[in-house]
Amino acid sequence: NAGVTQTPKFRILKIGQSMTLQCTQDMNHNYMYWYRQDPGMGLKLIYYSVGAGITDKGEVPNGYNVSRSTTEDFPLRLELAAPSQTSVYFCASSSQGNTEAFFGQGTRLTVV
Amino acid sequence: QKEVEQNSGPLSVPEGAIASLNCTYSDRGSQSFFWYRQYSGKSPELIMFIYSNGDKEDGRFTAQLNKASQYVSLLIRDSQPSDSATYLCAVNSGGGADGLTFGKGTHLIIQP
C-alpha cells in the first residue's frame, strides 16, 4: 500500500525561485492537508482541501498556493521562495474531517 | 485561536518503567484527540486516538481523556528504547474539516 506519497524528498532552492511539491494518495480520501514543521515546533497547517475543486487556507498560507483537480492529488506551489520557507513539509489525508490523518514521508526544503 | 500545549521535555524514563505524556487544549469544542509518534527525520505515525472521556488501551499504550479539564494523556507501559521519539498530541474540533491542531511535541528518552 502506497498511502500518501510526496515528491521530492529533498530540495534546495535559491531565493526567488519557485517550485511545486507533489502529493498523491491512493486511499480515496476526500480530505487532504499540507503542514510545515520547523525544528522543535509542532506542525502548522498551510492549506487544506475537503474534496476535488475545494481548497481553503490554514494557519500559515502566505507564500503558498494549492490546487485540487482530482481526489488523489494535492500539489503545493511555492512562489518566490524565501529563507523563511525553509522547513519540512508534510502532506496528509484523512477519510473524514475528524478522523486520523495519514502522513507522507515529507519534503525537506532549504531556501538559500 | 486553538492551542495545544505539551511539555517539550526531554522526558527521561528508565527502560521497563511507565512513561506519562500530557497535553492540554484550549478549544472546548474539540471532539477528536490523537497521539502521534515521530522519530527524528521521519513523518508522524498514529499511535492512539480517543473520542470519549475515560481510558482507551491498546497493547502497551493507554490514552486518557478528560474533557472537563481539557486534558489528554498517553501512558506507555514497559517502556522500551525503541519508544524513544517525539510524541505529538493533536486535536480536532467537532467535525471540523480544517485538519488537526498539533502541540509542539514531547521528546521522550528511554534509558536502557
Side-chain angles (χ1 to χ4, degrees):
Chain A
N1 290 336
V4 180
T5 302
Q6 292 182 238
T7 57
K9 289 186 173 59
F10 303 94
R11 184 70 185 270
I12 297 175
L13 276 183
K14 293 185 178 179
I15 294 172
Q17 287 185 323
S18 300
M19 75 164 294
T20 299
L21 282 66
Q22 301 291 344
C23 176
T24 187
Q25 54 92 8
D26 63 359
M27 296 176 282
N28 200 33
H29 286 168
N30 284 323
Y31 295 79
M32 296 190 73
Y33 313 91
W34 274 105
Y35 290 91
R36 60 176 287 173
Q37 186 177 35
D38 298 318
M41 304 294 288
L43 288 86
K44 299 289 187 183
L45 183 66
I46 305 172
Y47 270 95
Y48 66 97
S49 169
V50 302
I54 306 170
T55 63
D56 208 345
K57 296 178 180 179
E59 184 181 357
V60 290
N62 291 343
Y64 308 95
N65 277 299
V66 294
S67 60
R68 184 94 181 272
S69 57
T70 67
T71 298
E72 294 78 20
D73 300 307
F74 190 39
L76 177 71
R77 178 79 176 165
L78 278 72
E79 305 281 359
L80 299 175
S84 61
Q85 294 177 305
T86 293
S87 189
V88 180
Y89 292 84
F90 289 104
C91 179
S93 73
S94 64
S95 58
Q96 301 291 332
N98 62 345
T99 56
E100 66 268 28
F102 297 89
F103 285 82
Q105 67 269 51
T107 296
R108 187 174 297 274
L109 175 67
T110 302
V111 181
V112 296
Chain B
Q1 184 173 350
K2 304 171 192 174
E3 292 183 344
V4 177
E5 300 288 339
Q6 295 181 256
N7 188 322
S8 61
L11 174 64
S12 186
V13 174
E15 183 177 357
I18 295 174
S20 178
L21 305 163
N22 304 314
C23 169
T24 59
Y25 59 95
S26 64
D27 184 0
R28 281 198 172 274
S30 301
Q31 294 189 5
S32 309
F33 307 87
F34 305 88
W35 283 99
Y36 284 83
R37 178 177 63 198
Q38 186 176 28
Y39 293 114
S40 180
K42 301 295 185 181
S43 59
E45 57 176 324
L46 182 71
I47 298 297
M48 293 283 292
F49 63 88
I50 187 166
Y51 298 148
S52 303
N53 274 331
D55 295 358
K56 179 181 179 182
E57 186 175 319
D58 184 1
R60 296 187 297 113
F61 299 94
T62 299
Q64 299 175 317
L65 173 61
N66 184 326
K67 288 186 178 180
S69 299
Q70 295 175 247
Y71 179 91
V72 192
S73 65
L74 178 70
L75 301 177
I76 306 175
R77 288 181 299 281
D78 188 23
S79 297
Q80 302 297 309
S82 59
D83 294 326
S84 298
T86 296
Y87 289 79
L88 301 170
C89 176
V91 174
N92 182 280
S93 295
D98 56 347
L100 301 175
T101 301
F102 283 84
K104 294 181 181 179
T106 298
H107 184 203
L108 175 65
I109 299 171
I110 306 300
Q111 294 180 324

